[in-house]
Structure formats: C-alpha cells, structure tokens
Amino acid sequence: MITPKPFINARRDTPCPICGKTSWCGFNDEIAVCMRVSSGREVNNGGWLHKLDNVFTSYVPPKTRSNVKRKPDEFIDMVYREFIRILPLSEDHLQSLLERGMAEEEIRRRQYRTTPKDRHADSLGEKFNLYGVPGFFKENGRWKCVAAQGILIPVKNERRQIVGFQIRLDRKADNKKYVWFSSAKMGGSTPGPRIHVAMPQKIKIPDLVWITEGPLKADIAAERLGFPVLGVPGVNCWKSAIEVVKNLNPERAVVAYDSDYHKKQVSIHARALVDELKKHYKTGVALWPEEKGLDDALVAGVSIKVKVV
Ligand SMILES: [Zn+2]
C-alpha cells in the first residue's frame, strides 16, 4: 500500500509549485493540487492534480510535529563546526568530487565530509544543548544524529556561518539524490529553506551575484566565475534568495538554472525571481547548451552567455 506524503499548504514561504501563488493550493515533493492551473486531472476538492518531476523543482522544508524552535544561526554554526571537526571525507567521496572537476585544495576548503556511520552524538550533546539544531534528536535519553549516508555539504549564509547541510546520498532514496540534514521527523526543528552563499577564494567581480541550483553547484560555479553564487534548494524558494541578494547588495544579478524552462513548475518561479530582481538590479539569465549542468559547463570551459532581461 502506498501512503501518500503529507501535504503542505501554499503560503508565503512555500508558494504553490504550479501557479506560484501563496494560498489555496497544496503540495508535497511529488504531487501538487493546484486550484488555479488545469492539468486535465480534476480532483474532488475542485483542484487539479499535477505530478512534480523529481528534478530541481520545489523544495518543501520538512514539517516538524514538535514546537522545537530552530536555534539562531550563530549557535548552529558553532555546533556544526564542532560536529564536522573530526569527521573525515572518505576516499570514495574525495574521488567523486575530484571527478566533478574540483581541485583537492578547493574540496578541503569547502569542508565537505562523509556522514558518520555512528549516529551517537553524546559528546556533542554534553557540550551543547542540541534542541533546535536540525539533524539532531534525542532517543532514549541519548543524543543522536540522522543517518543518511553520503557527502555532507555545508550550507553557509552570507556571514559564512554554516547554517545547514545537504547530503548527497550514496544511494538514491525516493528517487532523490540530495536530502537535508534534518531531524524534523524525529521531533527536531525544521532545517528550513536555506540559501547557500558560495564565495570564491578570490572575488574578481565584486558587483555581481549569480543564482543557481543547490549548494554543490554553487560552490563549483563560484570558484570558476570569481564572484558569489547562491545555491537555492528549490525554485519555489526564490523569495528567500531575494533576501540574501539584498544583503549582498550587488549591482547586477543573473539567474543560472539548468532546469528546463519549459517545465511549468520551473518557469513560473524562475520568472518571478527574474521579475523581482529586475526591480532592483541589472538582471540577466545565463544560457549554455542544455545538456550540461552549470557546474559541468564551467568545468568543461563551455562558453556561457548572459542575456540581459
Ligand atoms: Zn496553485
């Protein structure tokens, strides 16, 4: 039997992935019931059923049953830095990052790690109060961390604090390549929609910011472009991205999504992002041959054009 995943309602921070509006519709990471855009498949509440592709589309922050509030960024940064201090990066994971075209020095500097096999977090729990730190939870009186195995990718805010982790899974789960380091299902706080701010080692162009998909791509792109690149967790999180762009205060902004713009759930949000950016900055859209991701295109030296919009 298939248990349907819980639905979340379209709201300001989680707009509908189909129409982009912030009320009335509902969705999870697989399907959406949109009340405004027809799919030809009507459901009994009067809305239409849309299947969401499992590419870069919408990110739905895991809901938490508890009232545990997320700790402030300063505290989370402290805990996460202590957490990764002794974690290694396995040879396999180092190899897979090298194969993406990253340099060893770059990989070290980005602080990628291999998720721990041992889920116990007793010593961390003695040092810090882990309530409200995403990824940790208490079980039978002992602190533990979530168990998904893969590469732990730090998500940093504009103050370079580690405020979350994405995990690149060793084995796809539910057709997903990436998950968030989240204990929301075990009563922890939600990891929230966090925007990764990837800074290159040397900023060559100070007045420009790009926006792309996810933290790892952003890291690879920032290093090769020479300016900050934001990695958004899903196209629907563009409002959070706007806040971060404002804090970085550039003159120009470019949207560089790989995903097929013809897919409705991408294009609505991408367009909304572009429209909002245009109000404040010189804005462009990055274009390159479609078969490659932005990171692969940059590593391969493919020329990327920016169309001013
Ligand atoms: Zn809708």
Side-chain angles (χ1 to χ4, degrees):
M1 203 180 102
I2 301 161
T3 348
K5 288 191 180 172
F7 257 50
I8 65 158
N9 299 323
R11 284 195 327 237
R12 192 190 171 273
D13 54 342
T14 53
C16 169
I18 303 301
C19 68
K21 295 281 193 312
T22 54
S23 65
W24 211 15
C25 313
F27 62 101
N28 58 30
D29 55 6
E30 288 169 0
I31 53 169
V33 172
C34 181
M35 305 302 287
R36 299 176 180 90
V37 177
S38 167
S39 65
R41 291 175 69 186
E42 203 165 335
V43 293
N44 50 19
N45 71 345
W48 287 277
L49 182 70
H50 295 258
K51 267 204 143 159
L52 302 177
D53 294 322
N54 260 312
V55 291
F56 175 69
T57 53
S58 288
Y59 167 65
V60 183
K63 239 193 182 166
T64 169
R65 286 176 275 111
S66 68
N67 295 318
V68 180
K69 279 238 172 69
R70 192 191 152 86
K71 285 264 169 52
D73 286 358
E74 291 69 29
F75 187 83
I76 287 176
D77 176 59
M78 231 167 22
V79 175
Y80 282 170
R81 282 181 194 275
E82 180 66 20
F83 174 55
I84 64 170
R85 201 170 53 86
I86 51 163
L87 287 182
L89 180 69
S90 75
E91 193 54 40
D92 284 355
H93 287 159
L94 172 65
Q95 276 309 321
S96 86
L97 292 167
L98 289 170
E99 276 161 26
R100 294 182 80 117
M102 298 183 91
E104 212 170 323
E105 176 278 325
E106 187 184 358
I107 294 167
R108 252 199 321 274
R109 181 158 38 85
R110 296 290 183 195
Q111 297 170 293
Y112 305 122
R113 297 288 191 266
T114 294
T115 52
K117 289 225 159 60
D118 181 9
R119 296 168 59 199
H120 291 104
D122 299 301
S123 58
L124 202 63
E126 274 165 29
K127 249 183 151 163
F128 300 102
N129 178 3
L130 298 177
Y131 279 111
V133 180
F136 296 97
F137 62 100
K138 218 168 195 181
E139 197 177 65
N140 303 325
R142 292 181 75 179
W143 281 106
K144 291 182 177 178
C145 70
V146 289
Q149 293 296 302
I151 306 176
L152 198 64
I153 303 164
V155 172
K156 294 182 182 171
N157 66 10
E158 58 271 41
R159 287 177 289 161
R160 306 197 186 200
Q161 292 166 328
I162 302 178
V163 293
F165 294 109
Q166 238 190 15
I167 299 167
R168 189 181 192 285
L169 297 171
D170 291 337
R171 276 191 214 112
K172 271 191 178 183
D174 288 339
N175 211 17
K176 274 194 202 133
K177 240 193 285 179
Y178 293 90
V179 294
W180 282 74
F181 185 64
S182 165
S183 49
K185 280 185 190 141
M186 291 82 145
S189 75
T190 174
R194 297 304 302 233
I195 308 296
H196 176 56
V197 181
M199 291 286 183
Q201 192 170 36
K202 281 191 197 104
I203 294 184
K204 292 176 204 151
I205 308 172
D207 68 335
L208 179 59
V209 166
W210 279 30
I211 300 162
T212 190
E213 311 171 5
L216 189 54
K217 254 178 207 171
D219 281 346
I220 294 171
E223 205 57 41
R224 279 141 196 90
L225 292 165
F227 45 78
V229 177
L230 307 190
V232 301
V235 272
N236 60 331
C237 304
W238 61 269
K239 280 182 184 153
S240 309
I242 292 281
E243 292 304 311
V244 177
V245 174
K246 274 184 191 159
N247 292 339
L248 292 170
N249 196 24
E251 277 169 33
R252 298 176 288 157
V254 170
V255 177
Y257 287 155
D258 305 346
S259 306
D260 190 347
Y261 276 86
H262 307 297
K263 289 194 186 105
K264 204 160 219 156
Q265 62 260 35
V266 176
S267 66
I268 284 170
H269 295 293
R271 223 174 294 138
L273 172 61
V274 166
D275 287 346
E276 187 59 33
L277 288 171
K278 271 166 70 177
K279 293 180 191 165
H280 311 279
Y281 316 100
K282 281 178 208 153
T283 301
V285 174
L287 303 166
W288 65 91
E290 244 177 56
E291 64 272 18
K292 280 185 197 296
L294 174 66
D295 51 339
D296 300 325
L298 286 166
V299 166
V302 171
S303 91
I304 294 176
K305 292 189 178 107
V306 173
K307 193 177 101 186
V308 177
V309 291

